[in-house]
Amino acid sequence: MAGKVFFSVSMSLDGFIAPESPEELMGQQWMELQQWIFPLRFFRENLKLGEGGEEGRDNDIVRETFERTGASVMGKRMFDAGEQMWPEEAPFRTPVFVVTHTKRDPWERPGGTTFHFVNDGIEAALDLAREAAGDLDVRIAGGGATILEYVNAGLIDEFSIALSPVLFGSGIRLFEDVDAARVALEPVRAEPSPRVTHLTYTVRER
């Protein structure tokens, strides 16, 4: 039985998941958006930032998201930004399929992450990811434009948002140009924590 296709992102209260410019990634706004995750024990262990860190429900959710993921899909914009910032042991530790027009041999990293570059569109990338994931789930890692393509194509089963108490004002809005006439949502779970509110929805065709 194939797993689910899902995405999981942090989002500001006004609906943004990243600054507009890749150069602003790791800037103050982005750091504020993501600040809930940095102290967590699992996050620190996965990025090899040292021992210790906070436990609790936030930590459990991050660990559960990682453990359910058998393969990831991302767009070229996210890959280009991440290639400069990820540590040598990239944090995915699964096959990652990059939707791109660039032809490139697979890029294997220490720790279990191999990036595969797919030139045939989002459905081809998803087919490869499903095969690689086996019974586990496929995560659409981002960025926003890639997530939206999968949502509008009816290829997302479920998603989770960590709603952060941050305002961006501008940037990449998660549901900009969503095909709202096609997409319907069913609430699954809402879990507040001291830093964010975790929201999970099932996606179905309207």
Side-chain angles (χ1 to χ4, degrees):
M1 179 70 68
K4 294 179 180 179
V5 180
F6 79 102
F7 68 85
S8 178
V9 295
S10 298
M11 187 175 78
S12 69
L13 281 175
D14 52 347
F16 297 95
I17 61 171
E20 186 67 44
S21 168
E23 289 73 30
E24 294 175 26
L25 286 174
M26 304 299 289
Q28 181 178 350
Q29 271 190 321
W30 190 88
M31 296 293 284
E32 290 177 356
L33 179 68
Q34 303 289 353
Q35 66 182 348
W36 69 276
I37 202 170
F38 297 134
L40 301 181
R41 183 184 186 92
F42 184 84
F43 179 84
R44 292 181 55 80
E45 289 176 351
N46 191 37
L47 269 73
K48 298 193 179 300
L49 300 177
E51 297 182 357
E54 297 180 7
E55 300 192 21
R57 189 60 188 136
D58 284 342
N59 189 66
D60 290 344
I61 287 171
V62 172
R63 176 176 46 78
E64 289 163 6
T65 300
F66 179 86
E67 290 177 349
R68 70 183 285 193
T69 302
S72 295
V73 176
M74 70 178 59
K76 182 64 161 48
R77 184 181 188 271
M78 180 176 178
F79 174 79
D80 286 345
E83 187 175 16
Q84 307 301 318
M85 296 187 298
W86 292 318
E88 185 178 14
E89 290 194 22
F92 303 95
R93 306 188 190 283
T94 67
V96 178
F97 297 88
V98 182
V99 182
T100 177
H101 297 297
T102 302
K103 294 188 181 299
R104 178 171 170 178
D105 291 334
W107 187 39
E108 185 174 350
R109 309 303 295 146
T113 301
T114 299
F115 294 95
H116 302 270
F117 301 88
V118 183
N119 307 130
D120 301 321
I122 63 170
E123 293 194 23
L126 181 56
D127 288 343
L128 291 168
R130 283 187 188 275
E131 184 177 354
D135 293 337
L136 295 176
D137 296 339
V138 173
R139 181 179 184 180
I140 309 303
T146 301
I147 289 172
L148 188 66
E149 281 191 81
Y150 279 98
V151 171
N152 284 343
L155 297 172
I156 297 292
D157 299 312
E158 181 182 290
F159 66 87
S160 296
I161 291 172
L163 192 62
S164 295
V166 177
L167 297 173
F168 263 42
S170 64
I172 296 174
R173 194 185 292 274
L174 178 57
F175 293 114
E176 190 77 36
D177 298 322
V178 70
D179 187 356
R182 177 174 185 174
V183 177
L185 306 178
E186 295 181 359
V188 174
R189 189 167 56 248
E191 297 185 62
S193 80
R195 291 195 178 93
V196 293
T197 300
H198 299 280
L199 304 171
T200 301
Y201 299 89
T202 294
V203 183
R204 60 177 177 82
E205 194 158 340
R206 188 183 294 277

